Coordinates of all heavy atoms in Angstrom, one line a residue:
Chain A
F142 N 72.9 107.7 98.6 CA 72.8 107.6 97.2 C 73.8 106.7 96.6 O 74.8 106.5 97.2 CB 72.9 109.0 96.5 CG 72.0 110.0 97.1 CD1 72.6 111.1 97.9 CD2 70.7 109.9 97.0 CE1 71.7 112.0 98.4 CE2 69.8 110.9 97.5 CZ 70.4 111.9 98.3
K143 N 73.4 106.1 95.4 CA 74.4 105.3 94.7 C 75.4 106.2 94.1 O 75.1 107.1 93.4 CB 73.7 104.4 93.7 CG 73.2 103.1 94.4 CD 72.9 102.1 93.4 CE 72.3 100.9 94.1 NZ 71.2 100.3 93.3
V144 N 76.7 105.9 94.3 CA 77.8 106.7 93.7 C 78.6 105.7 92.9 O 79.0 104.7 93.4 CB 78.6 107.4 94.7 CG1 79.7 108.2 94.1 CG2 77.7 108.3 95.6
K145 N 78.9 106.1 91.6 CA 79.8 105.2 90.8 C 81.2 105.2 91.4 O 81.7 106.2 91.8 CB 79.9 105.8 89.4 CG 79.6 104.8 88.3 CD 79.8 105.5 87.0 CE 79.0 104.7 85.9 NZ 79.1 105.4 84.6
G146 N 81.7 104.0 91.6 CA 83.1 103.9 92.1 C 83.2 104.3 93.6 O 84.1 104.9 94.0
E147 N 82.1 104.0 94.4 CA 82.0 104.5 95.7 C 83.2 104.1 96.6 O 83.9 104.9 97.2 CB 80.7 104.0 96.4 CG 80.6 104.4 97.8 CD 79.2 104.1 98.4 OE1 78.2 104.2 97.7 OE2 79.2 103.7 99.6
A148 N 83.6 102.8 96.5 CA 84.7 102.3 97.3 C 86.0 103.0 96.9 O 86.8 103.4 97.8 CB 84.8 100.8 97.1
D149 N 86.2 103.2 95.6 CA 87.4 103.9 95.2 C 87.5 105.3 95.7 O 88.5 105.8 96.2 CB 87.5 103.9 93.7 CG 87.8 102.5 93.1 OD1 88.3 101.7 93.9 OD2 87.4 102.2 92.0
L150 N 86.3 106.0 95.6 CA 86.3 107.4 96.0 C 86.5 107.5 97.5 O 87.3 108.3 98.0 CB 84.9 108.0 95.7 CG 84.8 108.6 94.3 CD1 83.4 109.1 94.1 CD2 85.8 109.7 94.1
L151 N 85.9 106.6 98.3 CA 86.1 106.6 99.7 C 87.6 106.3 100.1 O 88.2 106.9 101.0 CB 85.2 105.6 100.4 CG 83.8 106.1 100.6 CD1 82.9 104.9 101.1 CD2 83.7 107.2 101.6
F152 N 88.2 105.4 99.3 CA 89.6 105.1 99.6 C 90.5 106.3 99.2 O 91.4 106.6 100.0 CB 90.0 103.9 98.8 CG 91.5 103.5 99.1 CD1 91.8 102.8 100.3 CD2 92.5 103.9 98.2 CE1 93.1 102.5 100.6 CE2 93.8 103.6 98.5 CZ 94.1 102.9 99.7
F153 N 90.1 107.0 98.1 CA 90.9 108.2 97.8 C 90.8 109.2 98.9 O 91.8 109.8 99.3 CB 90.3 108.8 96.5 CG 90.6 110.2 96.3 CD1 91.9 110.6 96.0 CD2 89.7 111.2 96.5 CE1 92.3 112.0 95.9 CE2 90.0 112.6 96.4 CZ 91.3 112.9 96.1
I154 N 89.6 109.4 99.5 CA 89.4 110.3 100.5 C 90.3 109.9 101.7 O 91.0 110.8 102.3 CB 87.9 110.4 100.9 CG1 87.1 111.1 99.8 CG2 87.7 111.1 102.3 CD1 85.6 111.1 100.1
L155 N 90.3 108.6 102.1 CA 91.1 108.2 103.2 C 92.6 108.3 102.9 O 93.4 108.7 103.8 CB 90.8 106.7 103.5 CG 91.4 106.2 104.8 CD1 90.8 106.9 106.0 CD2 91.2 104.7 104.9
S156 N 93.0 108.1 101.7 CA 94.4 108.1 101.3 C 95.0 109.4 101.5 O 96.2 109.5 101.7 CB 94.6 107.6 99.9 OG 94.1 108.6 99.0
T157 N 94.2 110.5 101.5 CA 94.8 111.8 101.6 C 95.3 112.0 103.1 O 96.1 112.9 103.3 CB 93.7 112.9 101.4 OG1 92.7 112.7 102.3 CG2 93.2 112.9 100.0
R158 N 95.0 111.1 103.9 CA 95.4 111.2 105.3 C 96.7 110.4 105.5 O 97.3 110.4 106.6 CB 94.3 110.7 106.2 CG 94.6 110.8 107.6 CD 93.7 111.8 108.3 NE 94.1 111.9 109.7 CZ 93.4 112.5 110.7 NH1 92.3 113.1 110.4 NH2 93.9 112.6 111.9
M159 N 97.1 109.6 104.6 CA 98.2 108.7 104.8 C 99.6 109.4 104.6 O 100.6 108.9 104.9 CB 98.2 107.5 103.8 CG 97.0 106.5 104.1 SD 97.1 105.3 102.8 CE 95.6 104.4 103.2
L160 N 99.6 110.6 103.9 CA 100.8 111.2 103.6 C 101.5 111.8 104.8 O 100.8 112.4 105.7 CB 100.5 112.3 102.6 CG 99.7 112.0 101.4 CD1 99.3 113.2 100.6 CD2 100.4 110.9 100.6
P161 N 102.8 111.7 104.9 CA 103.5 112.4 106.0 C 103.3 113.9 105.8 O 103.5 114.4 104.7 CB 105.0 112.0 105.8 CG 104.9 110.8 105.0 CD 103.7 110.9 104.1
P162 N 103.0 114.6 106.9 CA 102.7 116.1 106.7 C 103.9 116.8 106.1 O 103.7 117.7 105.2 CB 102.6 116.5 108.2 CG 102.4 115.3 109.0 CD 102.9 114.1 108.2
V163 N 105.1 116.4 106.4 CA 106.3 117.1 105.8 C 106.3 117.0 104.3 O 106.7 117.9 103.6 CB 107.6 116.6 106.4 CG1 108.8 117.4 105.9 CG2 107.5 116.7 108.0
V164 N 105.8 115.8 103.8 CA 105.8 115.6 102.3 C 104.9 116.6 101.6 O 105.2 117.3 100.6 CB 105.3 114.2 102.0 CG1 105.1 114.0 100.5 CG2 106.4 113.2 102.5
V165 N 103.7 116.8 102.2 CA 102.8 117.8 101.6 C 103.2 119.2 101.9 O 102.9 120.1 101.1 CB 101.3 117.5 102.2 CG1 100.3 118.3 101.4 CG2 101.0 116.1 102.3
A166 N 103.9 119.4 103.0 CA 104.2 120.7 103.5 C 105.1 121.5 102.4 O 104.9 122.7 102.3 CB 105.0 120.7 104.8
I167 N 106.0 120.8 101.7 CA 106.9 121.5 100.8 C 106.1 122.2 99.7 O 106.2 123.4 99.5 CB 108.0 120.6 100.3 CG1 108.8 119.9 101.5 CG2 109.0 121.4 99.4 CD1 109.6 118.8 101.1
P168 N 105.4 121.4 98.9 CA 104.6 122.1 97.9 C 103.6 123.1 98.4 O 103.3 124.1 97.8 CB 103.9 121.0 97.1 CG 104.0 119.8 98.0 CD 105.2 120.0 98.9
M169 N 103.0 122.7 99.6 CA 102.0 123.7 100.1 C 102.6 125.0 100.5 O 102.1 126.1 100.3 CB 101.3 123.1 101.4 CG 100.3 122.0 101.1 SD 99.1 122.4 100.0 CE 98.0 123.5 100.9
F170 N 103.8 124.9 101.0 CA 104.6 126.1 101.4 C 104.8 127.0 100.1 O 104.6 128.2 100.1 CB 105.9 125.7 102.0 CG 106.8 126.9 102.3 CD1 106.6 127.6 103.4 CD2 107.8 127.2 101.4 CE1 107.5 128.7 103.7 CE2 108.7 128.3 101.7 CZ 108.5 129.1 102.9
L171 N 105.2 126.3 99.0 CA 105.4 127.1 97.8 C 104.2 127.7 97.2 O 104.1 128.9 96.8 CB 106.1 126.2 96.7 CG 107.5 125.6 97.1 CD1 107.9 124.6 96.1 CD2 108.5 126.7 97.2
M172 N 103.1 126.9 97.3 CA 101.8 127.4 96.8 C 101.3 128.5 97.6 O 100.9 129.6 97.1 CB 100.7 126.2 96.9 CG 100.5 125.5 95.6 SD 99.4 124.1 96.0 CE 97.8 124.9 96.3
Y173 N 101.4 128.4 98.9 CA 100.9 129.4 99.8 C 101.7 130.7 99.6 O 101.2 131.8 99.7 CB 101.0 129.0 101.3 CG 99.8 128.2 101.8 CD1 98.9 127.7 100.8 CD2 99.5 128.1 103.1 CE1 97.8 127.0 101.3 CE2 98.4 127.5 103.5 CZ 97.5 126.9 102.6 OH 96.4 126.3 103.1
R174 N 103.1 130.6 99.4 CA 103.9 131.7 99.2 C 103.5 132.5 97.9 O 103.4 133.7 97.9 CB 105.4 131.3 99.2 CG 106.3 132.5 99.5 CD 107.7 132.0 99.6 NE 108.2 131.5 98.4 CZ 109.4 131.2 98.1 NH1 110.3 131.3 99.1 NH2 109.8 130.7 97.0
A175 N 103.1 131.7 96.9 CA 102.7 132.3 95.6 C 101.4 133.0 95.8 O 101.2 134.1 95.2 CB 102.6 131.2 94.6
V176 N 100.5 132.5 96.6 CA 99.2 133.2 96.7 C 99.0 134.1 97.9 O 98.0 134.6 98.2 CB 98.0 132.2 96.6 CG1 98.0 131.6 95.2 CG2 98.1 131.2 97.7
G177 N 100.1 134.2 98.7 CA 100.1 135.0 99.9 C 99.3 134.4 101.1 O 98.7 135.2 101.9
L178 N 99.2 133.1 101.2 CA 98.5 132.5 102.3 C 99.4 132.2 103.5 O 99.0 131.7 104.5 CB 97.7 131.3 101.9 CG 96.3 131.5 101.3 CD1 95.8 130.2 100.7 CD2 95.4 132.0 102.4
N179 N 100.7 132.3 103.3 CA 101.7 132.0 104.4 C 101.4 132.9 105.5 O 101.2 134.1 105.4 CB 103.1 132.2 103.9 CG 103.7 130.9 103.5 OD1 103.2 129.8 103.8 ND2 104.8 131.0 102.7
D180 N 101.5 132.4 106.8 CA 101.4 133.1 108.0 C 100.0 133.8 108.1 O 99.9 134.9 108.6 CB 102.5 134.2 108.1 CG 102.7 134.6 109.6 OD1 102.2 133.9 110.5 OD2 103.4 135.6 109.9
T181 N 99.0 133.2 107.6 CA 97.6 133.7 107.8 C 96.8 132.6 108.4 O 97.1 131.4 108.4 CB 96.9 134.0 106.4 OG1 96.8 132.8 105.7 CG2 97.7 135.0 105.6
H182 N 95.7 133.1 109.1 CA 94.8 132.1 109.7 C 94.2 131.2 108.7 O 94.1 130.0 108.9 CB 93.7 132.8 110.5 CG 94.2 133.5 111.7 ND1 93.8 134.8 112.1 CD2 95.0 133.1 112.7 CE1 94.4 135.1 113.2 NE2 95.1 134.1 113.6
W183 N 93.8 131.8 107.6 CA 93.1 131.0 106.6 C 94.0 129.9 106.0 O 93.5 128.8 105.7 CB 92.5 131.9 105.4 CG 91.2 132.4 105.8 CD1 90.9 133.7 106.2 CD2 90.0 131.7 106.0 NE1 89.6 133.8 106.6 CE2 89.0 132.6 106.5 CE3 89.6 130.3 105.9 CZ2 87.7 132.2 106.8 CZ3 88.3 129.9 106.2 CH2 87.4 130.9 106.6
G184 N 95.3 130.2 105.9 CA 96.2 129.2 105.4 C 96.1 128.0 106.2 O 96.0 126.8 105.7
L185 N 96.2 128.1 107.5 CA 96.2 127.0 108.4 C 94.8 126.3 108.4 O 94.7 125.1 108.5 CB 96.6 127.4 109.9 CG 98.1 127.5 110.2 CD1 98.2 127.7 111.7 CD2 98.8 126.3 109.7
I186 N 93.8 127.2 108.4 CA 92.4 126.6 108.5 C 92.2 125.7 107.3 O 91.7 124.6 107.4 CB 91.4 127.8 108.5 CG1 91.4 128.5 109.8 CG2 90.0 127.3 108.2 CD1 90.7 129.8 109.9
I187 N 92.6 126.1 106.1 CA 92.4 125.3 104.9 C 93.1 124.0 105.0 O 92.6 122.9 104.8 CB 92.8 126.1 103.6 CG1 91.9 127.2 103.4 CG2 92.9 125.2 102.4 CD1 92.3 128.2 102.3
L188 N 94.4 124.1 105.5 CA 95.2 122.9 105.6 C 94.6 121.9 106.6 O 94.5 120.7 106.3 CB 96.6 123.2 106.2 CG 97.6 123.5 105.1 CD1 98.9 124.0 105.8 CD2 97.9 122.3 104.3

Side-chain angles (χ1 to χ4, degrees):
Chain A
F142 305 114
K143 276 198 183 137
V144 180
K145 233 184 199 170
E147 178 171 323
D149 292 334
L150 274 177
L151 281 171
F152 183 77
F153 159 71
I154 289 175
L155 189 68
S156 69
T157 59
R158 184 115 184 191
M159 292 177 188
L160 311 173
V163 182
V164 170
V165 193
I167 305 165
M169 286 308 284
F170 175 81
L171 298 173
M172 261 172 72
Y173 271 21
R174 203 172 62 172
V176 296
L178 273 170
N179 262 342
D180 203 14
T181 62
H182 289 138
W183 276 109
L185 279 188
I186 290 169
I187 290 171
L188 269 174

